Amino acid sequence: MPKQGSLIPESKKKLDSWKAEAASSLNVNLQKGGDISAKDAGKVGGEMVKRMIEFAKTNMDK
């Protein structure tokens, strides 16, 4: 079984940053080790995907 982890170590920091920003903009309280509802998790995940797509679109031509 392959080892789990990121191919690019710096990506974890960026994803964590996007997660915190997305949660904050949606008024979802993320606490380390805390539980959130599946609905809130879906909202945060969806917002993160939107931001990643926008980032990719913006940086593709560079």
Side-chain angles (χ1 to χ4, degrees):
M1 180 172 269
K3 181 180 175 185
Q4 296 292 321
S6 176
L7 296 176
I8 304 171
E10 299 83 25
S11 66
K12 174 134 177 58
K13 288 180 184 176
K14 188 63 175 175
L15 287 174
D16 286 344
S17 173
W18 271 332
K19 185 189 310 179
E21 289 175 23
S24 178
S25 71
L26 296 169
N27 294 318
V28 174
N29 186 13
L30 289 182
Q31 297 176 16
K32 192 166 187 156
D35 293 330
I36 63 171
S37 69
K39 184 177 179 180
D40 283 343
K43 287 179 184 178
V44 172
E47 183 65 22
M48 288 176 66
V49 170
K50 286 181 194 176
R51 291 174 187 224
M52 285 185 261
I53 291 169
E54 191 59 40
F55 179 83
K57 284 180 180 178
T58 303
N59 291 289
M60 281 182 133
D61 296 330
K62 292 182 180 181

